[in-house]
Amino acid sequence: MRFKSPFTLFRKTLRSGKKVWYYYFYDEYNKRHQFSTGCTTKAQAEAVCMELYRSGTMIPTVQNPLALLSSRPFEKQFSTPVFREYTANWFIYDKCEYFQKKIEHGYNLTKTYAHQKRCELERYILPFWGEYHLEDFTEAKIETWVAWLRKEFKLSNTSINNVSWGLKIILGYAFKTGVTKTNYSEKVIILKYDSKTHGILSKADVEKMFAPENFSSVWNENKLHYTINFLASKTGLRIGEVQALRKENLFEDHLLINHGYVEKFGLQDTKNHKERTIPISQEIFEELQELSQAQTFGEFIFSKDKGKSPVSRAEIIRHLKLALENIGISKEEQKERFITFHSWRHYVNSYLMNSGVPKSIVQSIIGHVKDDSMTEHYTHVSLDEAKRVLEVM
């Protein structure tokens, strides 16, 4: 059952021209009461009203209803900076002090990661917390913020956690550098993860997609996108790694994977910041060699402008979806089974593991990033060892 708000918010323009959010509600005698929140953003006004409601002080006993809320950013003289001012350069790659320190200490922080966290900050964090001071972070307000993320953006627990980690980083760094005396990052809650596992295509589905007699009906004789997906079904390459493939990465018996591609930034480091060698069959080599030779003006193998730039992510996804529909997997079923380009990684990983290929070799092919205990081991897997997968795939 959905919670019904006990108050109604509305915005008034004062004589000074300032726009402030007010609230009104009806008491037990059906009498209407109206007060100012003192807030200029709706998100903050909602937080104020929820705290008033919880504390039973929606009808204040003083002229200013917010005088009772001693933690309000607009009622106190604060020793800590306003959140919006403090985060002016946060997650901007070449301006963020936190990034500079991490890079100095040997961490790999990419422009892609910085861009993602900055977008989350601007969309999900600043609209709510922007006018608060750093010492205003309480568990109650954070709970209200989480509820706001669910209501306004329909975010899952996993998505909220991704945003929350950015907030925890900011508040934790403020404490570490002495900006705050309390580590407010500890008040940021992490929810139970509810991410959906990518679906895995069956072997029958895959065989149907790449059967020679189905080339026309499934791929509309589009050699470029057939080869992209055929390669992914044998190697588990990420979509950015496929886009990043250049002539210099192609060898007769293997691929050297040393970059990913992000359309906003171009070639980037791989996700685990390590290059890896992936064995390929003679069939795949010939397919890639044919495409490579057609790229006369640039180095990218999967390209529509003679190799100058890679085919777009959106186009790759679109052609995969069409191919899936052509083998009888409808858009609705794709969504229900959560089948995406990333599903190729799960397919290859599952198929190799179930075929008895040692975990270290599977990880050397896939390029895992989460199993740190195996990282050093799989970087030393030789090409001859890795070629065992060719006997299976």
Side-chain angles (χ1 to χ4, degrees), residues 64-337:
N64 184 347
L66 299 173
L68 296 174
L69 306 176
S70 59
S71 62
R72 290 286 165 245
F74 36 78
E75 288 299 313
K76 289 176 61 178
Q77 295 297 319
F78 292 91
S79 58
T80 57
V82 174
F83 187 80
R84 187 181 302 280
E85 296 172 356
Y86 178 72
T87 58
N89 292 329
W90 265 88
F91 301 129
I92 299 175
Y93 190 79
D94 55 352
K95 294 182 178 180
C96 180
E97 179 184 305
Y98 167 79
F99 271 11
Q100 293 169 1
K101 294 291 185 184
K102 297 293 281 187
I103 292 170
E104 286 173 7
H105 293 160
Y107 289 88
N108 289 296
L109 297 175
T110 65
K111 291 182 179 179
T112 305
Y113 172 75
H115 177 69
Q116 175 188 337
K117 301 313 288 184
R118 183 67 196 184
C119 288
E120 290 174 358
L121 174 64
E122 292 179 353
R123 186 176 187 190
Y124 302 121
I125 301 176
L126 284 174
F128 188 96
W129 295 107
E131 308 313 315
Y132 281 104
H133 289 249
L134 293 182
E135 64 186 57
D136 279 317
F137 284 83
T138 65
E139 292 178 5
K141 291 191 184 78
I142 290 168
E143 288 278 7
T144 303
W145 172 60
V146 169
W148 177 72
L149 290 176
R150 284 204 183 97
K151 177 182 177 183
E152 293 295 321
F153 301 100
K154 308 295 188 284
L155 296 186
S156 65
N157 284 5
T158 300
S159 296
I160 291 173
N161 285 344
N162 290 337
V163 176
S164 295
W165 276 114
L167 182 59
K168 283 178 77 72
I169 290 171
I170 293 169
L171 296 176
Y173 190 74
F175 173 69
K176 181 179 179 180
T177 55
V179 177
T180 59
K181 295 180 180 180
T182 302
N183 188 358
Y184 294 103
S185 70
E186 295 177 349
K187 299 181 182 295
V188 180
I189 55 176
I190 297 300
L191 309 174
K192 180 180 179 181
Y193 281 87
D194 58 0
S195 57
K196 191 176 180 180
T197 303
H198 282 82
I200 301 178
L201 290 165
S202 69
K203 196 169 189 303
D205 289 333
V206 176
E207 289 175 348
K208 192 184 298 184
M209 288 183 78
F210 300 115
E213 64 271 20
N214 293 340
F215 179 61
S216 178
S217 61
V218 175
W219 297 99
N220 299 315
E221 300 188 5
N222 190 313
K223 192 73 170 178
L224 177 70
H225 288 283
Y226 167 89
T227 307
I228 286 173
N229 286 275
F230 185 61
L231 175 64
S233 75
K234 299 295 184 181
T235 62
L237 286 176
R238 298 178 177 90
I239 192 169
E241 293 170 342
V242 169
Q243 291 177 288
L245 277 180
R246 291 156 294 148
K247 296 176 184 179
E248 65 184 55
N249 302 123
L250 177 60
F251 299 86
E252 190 169 359
D253 60 349
H254 71 278
L255 296 174
L256 177 64
I257 306 302
N258 55 10
H259 286 97
Y261 187 84
V262 180
E263 287 167 15
K264 185 177 178 65
F265 302 109
L267 287 174
Q268 301 288 299
D269 205 358
T270 59
K271 190 167 184 178
N272 64 357
H273 311 292
K274 296 179 181 292
E275 65 178 36
R276 67 187 191 277
T277 299
I278 299 181
I280 57 174
S281 65
Q282 184 64 27
E283 179 185 8
I284 289 179
F285 172 73
E286 291 173 359
E287 297 278 7
L288 295 177
Q289 181 76 343
E290 181 182 341
L291 285 172
S292 178
Q293 290 172 348
Q295 312 305 353
T296 54
F297 295 123
E299 294 296 310
F300 290 102
I301 294 175
F302 296 115
S303 173
K304 296 182 70 178
D305 57 5
K306 300 296 183 181
K308 290 187 288 186
S309 62
V311 64
S312 73
R313 174 182 292 254
E315 183 173 332
I316 293 174
I317 294 170
R318 184 170 70 252
H319 280 271
L320 172 59
K321 289 182 176 180
L322 287 172
L324 290 169
E325 286 187 69
N326 289 337
I327 65 168
I329 303 177
S330 66
K331 291 179 181 177
E332 292 74 20
E333 186 178 351
Q334 291 175 42
K335 186 175 181 180
E336 182 181 344
R337 290 170 61 183

Side-chain angles (χ1 to χ4, degrees), residues 22-41:
Y22 280 67
Y23 70 94
Y24 70 81
F25 72 102
Y26 292 89
D27 64 18
E28 58 188 290
Y29 304 106
N30 205 32
K31 182 178 179 181
R32 175 170 160 156
H33 302 268
Q34 173 180 307
F35 301 102
S36 169
T37 66
C39 300
T40 57
T41 66

